[in-house]
Structures are given as structure tokens and as C-alpha cells.
Amino acid sequence: MAIAKRAQPIARGEQDDRTGQEWAAWFHGALMPWWLEQARDSVHGGFFDALTEDGVPLNDDPKTTLAQARLLFTLSHLYLQKRDDRLLDGARAAHRFLTNFLRDAEDGGYARAVDRSGAPTGLATDQIKRSYDQSFVLLALSTYQRMEPSDALAKQLQECWSFIEDRLTDPQTGALLEDDTVHGAGTARELRAQNPHMHMFEALLQAYEMTGEAIWMQRAEDMLAVVRRHFIDPDHGTIIEFRAANFSNAEGRDGSLREIGHQCEWAWLLHRYVRLGGRAEMLALADRMMGFAERFGFQGEGLMKGAAFDAVHADGRVMTDTMLLWPQTEAGKAYVAQFERSGRTADAVRAHDFLRVVFQHYFAGRRAWRNRVDAQGQTLQPYALSRLLYHVAMFVTEGERVGLWADQPTG
């Protein structure tokens, strides 16, 4: 498959007439091959966690399990569709670094971060093993072993899950502990977060799809039950970001926080769960989440009209009117899922709208991308975080999967 070697930025002011197919082709055919060269650490292995928006690696930063695992998943996922050897080589590089430097061979868990060379940073906070990070290792390994199956990879996948079960799961509630320094519900943390549960649910669905083993779907069902029991607002059907240590309502801003990107991401996940054989009644919950997002979560005017806010209150009042990149991709994925289910033109239009938001406002005019903008479209965070390729790649490929933009690489 022919792919351009260097990524040419989408020029500002010249991108309005680009089609979804053209943006998807640019992502696959120009950005990804360029990024594979630019972000790879040819000295110490793996990939840099971040670049500037103009593509200069921040090579003194630590390397995290979160970034290496997300990249292993992203490159494996793209390779399964594109069969480009550069994606395969990149996936192998991410897996080597993850396994050689971030994995604890004694318990099968993965530390938060190491320095560029793979040596410990010396910070105790980088040695902890977070449930959030392990979820992405599970997501990545299940996908990578589909690409290059082996007994060693199957063992590594199972050891990761065993670590999650044995060290990161509260036996009384089934909920995830934040990290391996917590030994029971309410013992060492003031808040319990839904986010690790969401991504563990995602990883378990992926493991089921990649392996075909029913046990993974049962584990996904169990995780969904935990979330429904502890993290769903019964009044609005929204996903609650934080609970108190005993799963009562958290106080103040933490208890009121509703991230729009997570309402959309959960809606997409519930559609995927049903598509893989889960209970169809869960789509009603997805609809409630998206209904909330549509009423309160999108900018109504100006340059960023239609884009997703970062956060609102439980009653819908805007809490944070800035706009990170990732909520835009999750809103787009949710509309892709709704289109697949309904066939409605309106859902297809909204998916295309978010594709334009992503590429026009975060990628256009820069070599890489930026992370956060304000309501006027001004840059607030200029960094191109490598872990965000996971969000963008999934949005692009989900739209391709259902035929919203054709899967035709440039070249």
C-alpha cells in the first residue's frame, strides 16, 4: 500500500471543502507515517509521550504505560485494517518497551512511568500500578495478540488480568481500586472514579471480540453491573465522574462534574456492547446520556459552534467551557454508533460535523496537533499528546467501518 512519507499540514483557510474521505485518507496516508518517524525514540526504544504542535518531541519527559499501551493498541488496530508493515513495526516497538521497562515480571502489573531510557524515575508516584493504566494494557495486548498470536502473549494477557483481579479489585463491591496502594473501599482515597471502570469495560469487550472467548464478555457484564450500581445518576441517566470513598455522593464540584466526552464515550461503548451480543435494553441508557449531552454539552455559537465542552454540572450548567480534542472524537463516535443503529441522515451529518471540528480546529495549520482550545478557538494547550492518537484513530476507523467516509488511503 503506497503511503506518503511526510505529513503536510492541512492549511488554515483551505480546509473547508475537504470531505470526510479526504480527512481520513490524510490521517492514514500522511499523518500516521510521519508520526511513526517523528515520535519514535530511536535511541532508547518506544515512543515519546508528547510532541509540540509543530512536531518536536519532548524527549526529556518520562514514558508512561498509558502512552505506550494506547499506542500499542492504536498501531495494532490500524494494522489489522491497513496491513502496513510500518504499523506492525511500530506496534512491536511499543510492545518491547512496555514489556521490558514498565512491566513487573513478578506480579504481571505495569508501573505508571519510567524515564526516557526505561530506568525508574525515582518518584514513588511513578512506581504505582493504576487500574486506569492496566485497562489499556489489557486493551492493547488483546489486540496485539490477534495480530501476532503466541503463547507468550496469551500468558502476558492473562497475567495482566490476574493482577487486576487480585490486586486492583475490591472483593466486596467488585469495583476497581484506583491503584495497588489501596487495599479496600474507602481506606486510602477520598474519591472513586468511573473512568477506570469505563476503560476496563472497553478492554473486556475488545478482549471478547479479539479472542472470541465468552469469559471476557462475562467479565464485561460484571463491570457494567458495577458501573450501573455506583456511577449512574438516576435523575438524568448521566455517568457520574466521582463518588465518595463509600460510593455515596461526592461533595462540591467533584460530585456535580459531568464530562461531556464521557457521556458520549459511554454511549458508544453501550452501542458496541449490544452489537457484540449484549442486552439491547442498555441502548436506552445510551440514549439518555446522549440526550443530556445534546441539551447541555455542545457550544451553540461562534467559531467553535457544535463542539463539545469539557465539563458541565449535573443540572446542565456549563462548568468548563474549554474544549479538549478527545471529547470531540468521542462525540463523533457516538453519532457514528447512532447512525449505524438508526440510519438517520441527521446522525451522519453530526458525525461529519465532528470530523470537521477535529481536523479543522485541532490539526489544520500545524505539523502535529494541539490539545485544548477556548470558545474562540485560541490555543490553550499546544501539545500533541501521543496517547490521543487512540481517540482519533478510533473515530476515523469507526466512521469507515459503517461507511460514513470511504476507506481509501492516499498514494
Side-chain angles (χ1 to χ4, degrees):
M1 154 173 139
I3 291 183
K5 290 185 178 180
R6 303 297 293 175
Q8 297 300 317
I10 302 172
R12 287 191 183 97
E14 299 178 1
Q15 74 276 14
D16 291 348
D17 60 349
R18 286 191 179 231
T19 66
Q21 179 181 333
E22 288 172 326
W23 273 309
W26 179 82
F27 172 78
H28 290 299
L31 180 73
M32 284 305 303
W34 170 83
W35 180 88
L36 280 166
E37 289 185 11
Q38 197 74 358
R40 188 161 174 175
D41 186 346
S42 60
V43 177
H44 297 291
F47 292 90
F48 297 113
D49 268 42
L51 288 69
T52 68
E53 63 182 324
D54 291 322
V56 179
L58 302 180
N59 52 23
D60 291 330
D61 286 0
K63 290 175 181 167
T64 64
T65 285
L66 179 59
Q68 304 303 314
R70 280 192 178 188
L71 292 170
L72 174 56
F73 164 74
T74 300
L75 297 171
S76 299
H77 172 73
L78 291 174
Y79 177 79
L80 288 171
Q81 299 178 57
K82 304 298 178 184
R83 300 293 173 176
D84 185 280
D85 286 345
R86 284 166 290 191
L87 296 168
L88 173 62
D89 186 55
R92 287 170 173 166
H95 179 254
R96 280 195 301 271
F97 195 91
L98 190 68
T99 302
N100 292 342
F101 300 113
L102 288 156
R103 179 175 180 268
D104 185 335
E106 293 185 4
D107 61 23
Y110 295 75
R112 196 194 76 82
V114 292
D115 72 13
R116 177 186 175 182
S117 71
T121 64
L123 298 174
T125 52
D126 286 338
Q127 291 302 304
I128 65 172
K129 297 163 187 171
R130 305 188 304 171
S131 55
Y132 183 73
D133 295 341
Q134 313 310 308
S135 71
F136 284 103
V137 174
L138 200 67
L139 182 79
L141 291 176
S142 65
T143 310
Y144 184 54
Q145 66 87 32
R146 176 71 173 267
M147 187 172 75
E148 293 200 298
S150 70
D151 290 343
L153 271 176
K155 182 174 183 287
Q156 191 176 359
L157 177 65
Q158 182 54 50
E159 287 176 347
C160 178
W161 175 250
S162 295
F163 178 79
I164 293 165
E165 276 195 310
D166 297 342
R167 299 287 299 278
L168 294 174
T169 303
D170 176 8
Q172 295 188 3
T173 65
L176 294 170
L177 305 173
E178 296 298 306
D179 58 59
D180 64 339
T181 68
V182 183
H183 303 294
T187 59
R189 292 291 185 274
E190 294 181 357
L191 296 174
R192 309 298 295 274
Q194 74 81 23
N195 205 12
H197 299 80
M198 179 183 73
H199 286 296
M200 197 66 72
F201 180 60
E202 176 188 21
L204 293 167
L205 290 178
Q206 181 74 1
Y208 172 65
E209 185 169 12
M210 293 293 99
T211 68
E213 297 173 6
I215 186 61
W216 294 109
M217 178 57 92
Q218 183 56 58
R219 291 164 178 162
E221 292 275 10
D222 294 343
M223 189 58 59
L224 180 58
V226 169
V227 171
R228 292 181 67 200
R229 187 161 57 245
H230 296 300
F231 291 104
I232 300 296
D233 180 345
D235 294 330
H236 304 289
T238 53
I239 193 75
I240 299 169
E241 292 298 330
F242 296 108
R243 289 289 204 184
N246 63 357
F247 291 108
S248 63
N249 292 333
E251 296 181 357
R253 186 183 189 276
D254 291 321
S256 185
L257 174 65
R258 301 293 186 270
E259 293 191 20
I260 296 303
H262 285 156
Q263 310 306 316
C264 298
E265 195 164 6
W266 263 109
W268 172 75
L269 278 170
L270 291 171
H271 277 87
R272 185 184 182 197
Y273 159 76
V274 172
R275 179 165 57 84
L276 291 175
R279 289 164 291 141
E281 61 264 28
M282 289 299 101
L283 293 177
L285 182 56
D287 290 343
R288 292 191 73 188
M289 292 176 181
M290 284 305 294
F292 180 88
E294 289 174 336
R295 288 194 303 276
F296 304 117
F298 302 143
Q299 174 66 271
E301 59 186 7
L303 180 67
M304 298 300 295
K305 182 177 180 179
F309 293 127
D310 287 341
V312 302
H313 288 276
D315 62 8
R317 289 175 296 123
V318 175
M319 180 182 289
T320 309
D321 66 354
T322 56
M323 298 162 206
L324 286 159
L325 168 60
W326 73 264
Q328 318 312 320
T329 67
E330 298 314 305
K333 282 164 56 183
Y335 281 110
V336 169
Q338 289 190 173
F339 170 75
E340 181 179 27
R341 170 185 163 196
S342 70
R344 292 184 305 225
T345 300
D347 292 327
V349 169
R350 290 297 282 141
H352 278 275
D353 286 345
F354 275 102
L355 195 71
R356 284 191 290 273
V357 166
V358 166
F359 285 105
Q360 288 183 12
H361 293 298
Y362 295 86
F363 286 80
R366 41 194 55 83
R367 183 67 65 180
W369 61 90
R370 55 182 177 169
N371 186 41
R372 186 181 236 150
V373 302
D374 64 16
Q376 289 73 47
Q378 298 300 306
T379 300
L380 296 178
Q381 292 179 0
Y383 303 112
L385 304 180
S386 294
R387 66 178 185 265
L388 295 186
L389 285 174
Y390 147 80
H391 289 283
V392 181
M394 285 302 297
F395 180 23
V396 170
T397 57
E398 280 292 273
E400 290 172 339
R401 184 180 62 81
V402 304
L404 282 175
W405 35 85
D407 182 6
Q408 294 183 5
T410 59

